[in-house]
Amino acid sequence: MSELTGDAALPRINGELVFNEPWEGRAFGLAAALTESGVSNWADFRDRLNEVTASRDEHGGETGYYERWFQALERLALENGLVTSAELDARTEALASDQHDDH
Amino acid sequence: MSGDHDRDHHAEPESPAALRTRALESLLVEKGLVTTDAIDEIVRMYEQDIGPLNGAKVVARAWVDPDYKRRLLANGTEAIAELGFGGAEGAEIVVVESTPAVHNVVVCTLCSCYPWPVLGLPPSWYKDAAYRSRVVREPRAVLREFGLTVDESKEIRVWDSTASLRYMVLPERPHGTADLPEEELVELVTRDSMIGVGLARSRSEIAWMPGARKHE
């Protein structure tokens, strides 16, 4: 990931990747797995990430690094036709209500 | 082994980003576009991968800036502090330069003293009695075991770190890197090259990330 620089660079502390929450690691792994297997293109992902980072700069705001990473990933997945918005919204809602029902 | 344990913990509601990430993953897995195992493996690999260490930034700066290199070799602690790294109270860091004539390697024979502000935590083999005793007695053989053959014509110097004085190696800059910008040079500098049991990577060894990063 040497091509990710500046605000788009992966957060590290003395070389080690930093994930504040487990989902951040999953988002990272998901993007890496898709690009590694060739389902998606790494350069496309990097471009989306740079776009999301740049638009955050324009509009101000404090989105975290992996929030932006995930936005870029979602954009790419939709563009590549891997999932549809409707599917993603539906699944997200289903998982959210699973949480409430679980006891 | 997977990260599923985290998902069973429902004491706190997940953030929207966390839910959506899970949703995307589950959809892509169902569609056969990715597997949970592949994701787990990548996360595991990168969590263990030592990325650009502070020391790598020091080395890259020394490679591109001759004045910085001079200051670094004259007073390692101060020059390292210029880049914002430091904090080992009372422990000086001395940087030794490897050249075509001299290869340097660092050890702590008595315990495991290590320049942690620049190199993080020492690898377990560094703390091992075998390394600590053998590298001073038979450095060439030990380095060969690390996959590094040092030409007979080259002198090997072994530096023994102590609690108050810790050594770090400034490895030779690989050939064919004159055109690389500093931030790309950082990627060439491995922890092992700053201990002296390896060399800095050549540019052909660095394939673009993350697709081609291989297990070492």
Side-chain angles (χ1 to χ4, degrees):
Chain A
M1 307 213 175
S2 55
E3 297 169 353
L4 295 177
T5 56
D7 286 346
L10 288 164
R12 293 182 188 269
I13 292 180
N14 203 7
E16 296 177 28
L17 287 182
V18 182
F19 301 125
N20 293 317
E21 306 272 325
W23 73 264
E24 293 184 344
R26 298 314 287 181
F28 169 81
L30 193 44
L34 286 173
T35 54
E36 183 152 315
S37 65
V39 168
S40 289
N41 185 285
W42 169 249
D44 289 342
F45 175 76
R46 181 205 52 206
D47 290 345
R48 295 295 155 282
L49 183 58
N50 286 332
E51 277 163 30
V52 173
T53 304
S55 77
R56 174 212 56 171
D57 290 339
E58 272 170 39
H59 300 121
E62 292 298 324
T63 36
Y65 181 86
Y66 283 102
E67 271 82 2
R68 298 196 291 279
W69 178 281
F70 181 75
Q71 275 178 45
L73 179 56
E74 181 177 335
R75 267 189 209 183
L76 189 61
L78 293 172
E79 271 172 32
N80 290 170
L82 307 183
V83 294
T84 66
S85 267
E87 282 177 312
L88 191 48
D89 289 342
R91 180 59 55 93
T92 305
E93 239 187 80
L95 291 176
S97 59
D98 273 355
Q99 263 189 134
H100 295 129
D101 296 344
D102 243 11
H103 241 321
Chain B
M1 275 192 284
S2 74
D4 283 341
H5 297 297
D6 294 321
R7 300 173 193 181
D8 295 328
H9 178 67
H10 287 305
E12 288 162 23
E14 282 178 271
S15 66
L19 278 171
R20 212 161 169 83
T21 304
R22 269 219 284 141
L24 182 60
E25 181 180 339
S26 69
L27 285 169
L28 294 176
V29 167
E30 275 168 30
K31 292 168 188 255
L33 293 168
V34 77
T35 66
T36 309
D37 282 350
I39 300 172
D40 289 347
E41 174 60 18
I42 286 175
V43 174
R44 190 195 64 77
M45 221 169 79
Y46 279 92
E47 278 178 338
Q48 294 175 6
D49 182 28
I50 308 297
L53 293 162
N54 293 341
K57 297 174 190 171
V58 170
V59 168
R61 176 61 57 91
W63 283 347
V64 304
D65 183 344
D67 283 336
Y68 181 76
K69 177 168 142 178
R70 220 182 1 89
R71 293 198 298 280
L72 182 68
L73 298 179
N75 189 323
T77 312
E78 276 181 21
I80 287 165
E82 276 182 49
L83 299 191
F85 311 132
E89 314 305 339
E92 231 186 289
I93 297 179
V94 171
V95 180
V96 290
E97 182 189 14
S98 287
T99 67
V102 176
H103 181 86
N104 296 292
V105 61
V106 178
V107 66
C108 174
T109 55
L110 295 181
C111 47
S112 58
C113 302
Y114 193 70
W116 65 260
V118 282
L119 298 191
L121 296 175
S124 48
W125 55 259
Y126 183 88
K127 302 186 278 191
D128 206 40
Y131 175 77
R132 286 158 43 212
S133 60
R134 289 184 61 215
V135 76
V136 286
R137 281 186 286 115
E138 40 176 1
R140 223 167 280 272
V142 170
L143 294 183
R144 241 188 328 266
E145 287 169 29
F146 276 96
L148 176 58
T149 301
V150 178
D151 197 272
E152 289 298 322
S153 64
K154 252 187 171 178
E155 182 190 341
I156 295 185
R157 289 184 195 158
V158 182
W159 302 83
D160 198 354
S161 294
T162 64
S164 55
L165 208 160
R166 315 218 176 169
Y167 292 99
M168 180 189 123
V169 176
L170 172 60
E172 287 184 80
R173 181 172 180 168
H175 294 304
T177 61
D179 60 320
L180 290 183
E182 193 173 335
E183 61 267 18
E184 286 187 42
L185 290 173
V186 171
E187 298 283 313
L188 302 180
V189 185
T190 62
R191 178 183 57 189
D192 284 0
S193 69
M194 293 184 282
I195 298 174
V197 297
L199 302 176
R201 292 177 177 138
S202 66
R203 65 193 298 173
S204 59
E205 292 172 57
I206 300 288
W208 54 265
M209 304 293 291
R213 172 70 71 109
K214 302 278 190 288
H215 288 279
E216 311 223 347

